[in-house]
Amino acid sequence: MSILSLDQPGRQLLYMGNEAIARGAIEAGVRVVASYPGNPSSEITASLAKVAGELGMYVEWSVNEKVAAEVAAGASLAGLRSMTCMKHNGLNVASDFLFALNFTGTKGGMVIVICDDPLALSSTAEQDTRAFAKAADLPLLEPSDFQEGKDMVKAAFRVSEEVGLPVLVHSVTRFSHARGNVTLGEIPQGQPKPHFDTLHPAYPKPVENTHPALHRKLAQAGRALAGEGYNSYSGPERPDLLVLTCGSGVAYMNEALEGLGASNRVGVAKLGLTWPLPEGFLRKTLARCAQVLFFEEIDPFLEDNVKAFCAQEGGDLLNKTFLGKASGAVPSVGENSPDTAVAALGAALGLKPQPPRPADYADEALALVRDLAPVRQLGLCAGCPHRATYWAVKNALALDGREGFVTGDIGCYAQGRGPSGFSQMKTMFAMGSGAGIANGFGQLTRFGAEQPVLAVCGDSTFFHAALPALINARFNGSNLLMLILDNNATAMTGFQPHPGVGITAMGQPAPALDPAEVCRSLGAEVLELDPFEVQKTTETIYDLLQDLDGVKILVLKQECALVRGKRQRLLFKMSLDQERCLGADCGCNRFCTRVFKCPGLIWDPAQGKAAIDEAICTGCGVCATICPQQAIVKEVIS
Amino acid sequence: MSAAPDPFNLIITGVGGQGNVLASQILGQALVRQGWVVTVGETYGASQRGGSVMSHLRLSRRKQWSPLIPEGQAHLVVGLEPLESLRVMARYGNPGVLTLTNTRPIHPLDVIAGAAEYPEMDTLLAKLKKLGAGVWTVDATRIALELDNPILSNMAMLGALAGMELAAAPLSREDFAEALGMLLPAKALPANLEAFDQGRASLREI
């Protein structure tokens, strides 16, 4: 039993924002959910997959976000309610399809949840996807608390079905990956039989008709959603300052107002519907005050659109002072917090907020942390196969001596940029771009380029987007070595299954596609190794680089240490023979800890020697190969 | 402590992989069951294994607060790793803050590589004491290792928190067991309860 499927209307639970979205979909009677994982969105689909069987839903992890959106749209076109959830990058992948689906429209309610990541807390870059709603003429909702998130998704399904357009629900990390109180509603019973009406085919028709029709549907959806009560004003009748905010900004702003004791002077207009703009609500609300502060994250989406609305309306709406990102009142990028809300309000109202703590205390705390607490750099886990891979790559490239380099990709192995991947990875862009950009570098031999190029990708990324690049390399004869780091999981986002794993999102057995076999079908040379065999891996990479004519593929197979750890914590029992370790007297200059840098192998300053941290080590055994004194001992566990 | 502030701001901090998120989820779920309004803000993702990971818990009797604690406003820091307990003070500490910390270090990569030093535990605890209004310790990792599973240190920390008997963050064994049962498979419960009990029994105020 999961907390998500409890059929106890009225019960209050602590739900993650993503679970609130998932529960809203359940209470709306969603039947089909298809997604590709990506934080902060992953738990919506992951939690639904766990209860899909008992609730009679179908949930899948699709190969990428475009296919996921197509799967969901298929169900919608056959009359079922469906959903797809993705992070901001995912929408970029799915958008080609989305910019056709808006024209054809949908049938069963279809909700697209997009989770942005202000400040890129679990992403490579920051992107405000709300612009897509405007570009694709699709309605956009932004929940501001957990209960609202659940209820809003239900409304989104209802209106989507009424109007025949997908509805976008926009979340951010501080909603998706936060938790709060949610009161459960009812889970509906019964479901329609899917049927695709062949008299209403879904393909593009002349845009001179369909584009105006899309605008009419958007306006209709806007009217329906504006009536759901998600736009509201709270504050005095005639405030000194009007704050327009949405999503995560609402709680920060209310908290700041309470802290400043300024609730009697400031009005807060919360917009749950941010596209199309709720014009009636705005007209009424903007009339309350001549000074307007926009408080939102990443891009000035609301700010720019409301300003354009005011310019169009004219009259009194032209006599406003606008504060926000353009004026510098709110940070121009990144995420907000109660602190940025206090700062923006303080400046707008001419208040000097009380310092949160004595200034000398703050100085002392900062100084102590600076002096005593070394930065904790991100790294690969203890026992991660990628550390072994990068160790082999580093040594092979050093032996090769032509300044070869690694083009990287999105996944745990992106830590190859930093200390635990020995700084081997030199480029990183989007899913599949490691292989893609290596195609480009690999064509430069004709112009005299001498550096060999190695691309890396994980198994899930291989299926998601690297495969077309490999086919391209084979077709166009690009010279590159592709390393597929197959750890049998989408590890970075929470170990979701993918086409190579042999199990579906709902736990059913599935054919496990083998990346090596897929690559062999391209006619490329394919080798497979266990990266924990470090010496052999090093030599193989070196050999492959010596004759890099066309695309060569090395699949490095070793299970993610965390996945294995759920069954078996230690692969080997590791110990450090402190008699053999010569410590500072050894000529190795602390090679094992200074260079190898595994969190499970530490330096014991009291003894002046290396030591195993038994709470961290997962027993991969790789470090046993690097000590010149053979002081690191690897024991088979009986 | 006199009347508890509302919200009561609690930070659970540690290193990726220590079970920080599960600990905050269990505490939050247990309090919601008791009628509290709880907001938890979590930082994980790219800050996964090996990085600093923090959860912000806002415990309230009256409203849903935002998921981020403002600067200088922590009331209690629960540190699954001692250096992380100290690190939190730079932004969130204040003279009234209480700290409950595990005493077992996890060395940052720079310390392992010899580019930085991990402070002496006595120094670290003394500084925590100086920066706040009280420090409690528990060797949660030792408890977990004796139970043959280092991941249980988070449950030992929750036991220690329960042992502090704070009116602002009450956690009974029954509430803990109930929340645990909602989130983990039944077979995992005995070991987690054992870690909780031992953590509670090993709490020490310094």
Side-chain angles (χ1 to χ4, degrees), chain B residues 11-51:
Chain B
I11 295 178
I12 301 183
T13 186
V15 175
Q18 285 196 295
N20 175 321
V21 170
L22 183 63
S24 57
Q25 198 181 350
I26 286 173
L27 178 59
Q29 200 68 264
L31 288 174
V32 167
R33 193 172 159 72
Q34 296 300 324
W36 293 65
V37 185
V38 177
T39 311
V40 186
E42 294 159 1
T43 53
Y44 62 102
S47 51
Q48 47 163 215
R49 335 299 167 193

Side-chain angles (χ1 to χ4, degrees), chain B residues 111-181:
Chain B
V111 171
I112 288 173
E117 278 181 27
Y118 198 101
E120 293 289 335
M121 195 51 54
D122 289 347
T123 310
L124 202 157
L125 293 175
K127 297 301 182 193
L128 281 174
K129 194 153 172 126
K130 184 153 184 277
L131 286 175
V135 177
W136 285 257
T137 61
V138 59
D139 192 347
T141 306
R142 183 188 52 77
I143 292 171
L145 282 172
E146 282 172 13
L147 293 168
D148 201 28
N149 193 353
I151 191 63
L152 292 172
S153 61
N154 57 352
M155 299 299 147
M157 291 302 295
L158 282 182
L161 170 66
M164 289 174 76
E165 296 184 347
L166 297 173
L171 181 64
S172 70
R173 189 177 195 275
E174 292 67 38
D175 293 342
F176 171 75
E178 163 84 24
L180 203 60

Side-chain angles (χ1 to χ4, degrees), chain A residues 445-527:
Chain A
T445 28
R446 71 187 74 238
F447 301 117
E450 290 171 2
Q451 296 162 280
V453 56
L454 293 79
V456 298
C457 77
D459 36 350
S460 191
T461 307
F462 168 78
F463 292 112
H464 179 287
L467 193 48
L470 282 176
I471 293 171
N472 190 67
R474 177 77 180 134
F475 171 43
N476 290 305
S478 188
N479 303 318
L480 65 96
L481 172 57
M482 179 85 223
L483 303 180
I484 300 173
L485 314 185
D486 184 354
N487 62 0
N488 206 36
T490 317
M492 183 80 187
T493 50
F495 320 112
Q496 295 83 3
H498 62 67
V501 171
I503 192 163
T504 68
M506 290 167 65
Q508 301 298 311
L513 303 186
D514 179 1
E517 282 306 312
V518 173
C519 290
R520 279 191 193 103
S521 76
L522 308 181
E525 181 183 346
V526 182
L527 298 174

Side-chain angles (χ1 to χ4, degrees), chain A residues 307-490:
Chain A
K307 282 180 185 170
F309 168 71
C310 289
Q312 182 60 40
E313 288 283 300
D316 280 350
L317 291 191
L318 292 176
N319 293 322
K320 302 281 177 198
T321 306
F322 292 117
L323 304 170
K325 290 173 183 285
S327 76
V330 175
S332 63
V333 296
E335 70 171 0
N336 278 318
S337 68
D339 299 318
T340 63
V342 166
L345 280 175
L349 296 171
L351 294 174
K352 268 224 173 286
Q354 283 286 325
R357 52 184 176 174
D360 53 347
Y361 178 97
D363 292 344
E364 185 182 6
L366 285 165
L368 276 173
V369 170
R370 189 191 56 225
D371 297 343
L372 289 177
V375 170
R376 202 174 280 281
Q377 295 200 58
L378 290 180
L380 298 165
C381 304
C384 176
H386 303 326
R387 180 179 292 99
T389 294
Y390 283 122
W391 187 254
V393 167
K394 168 184 156 69
N395 290 322
L397 285 178
L399 281 171
D400 177 82
R402 287 177 291 166
E403 222 186 311
F405 59 96
V406 173
T407 58
D409 221 300
I410 310 293
C412 293
Y413 43 88
Q415 295 300 334
R417 291 166 297 173
S420 70
F422 319 111
S423 305
Q424 292 302 297
M425 206 177 113
K426 301 300 184 190
T427 72
M428 183 174 77
F429 300 94
M431 292 286 284
S433 290
I437 199 151
N439 267 259
F441 287 122
Q443 291 292 2
L444 304 185
T445 28
R446 71 187 74 238
F447 301 117
E450 290 171 2
Q451 296 162 280
V453 56
L454 293 79
V456 298
C457 77
D459 36 350
S460 191
T461 307
F462 168 78
F463 292 112
H464 179 287
L467 193 48
L470 282 176
I471 293 171
N472 190 67
R474 177 77 180 134
F475 171 43
N476 290 305
S478 188
N479 303 318
L480 65 96
L481 172 57
M482 179 85 223
L483 303 180
I484 300 173
L485 314 185
D486 184 354
N487 62 0
N488 206 36
T490 317

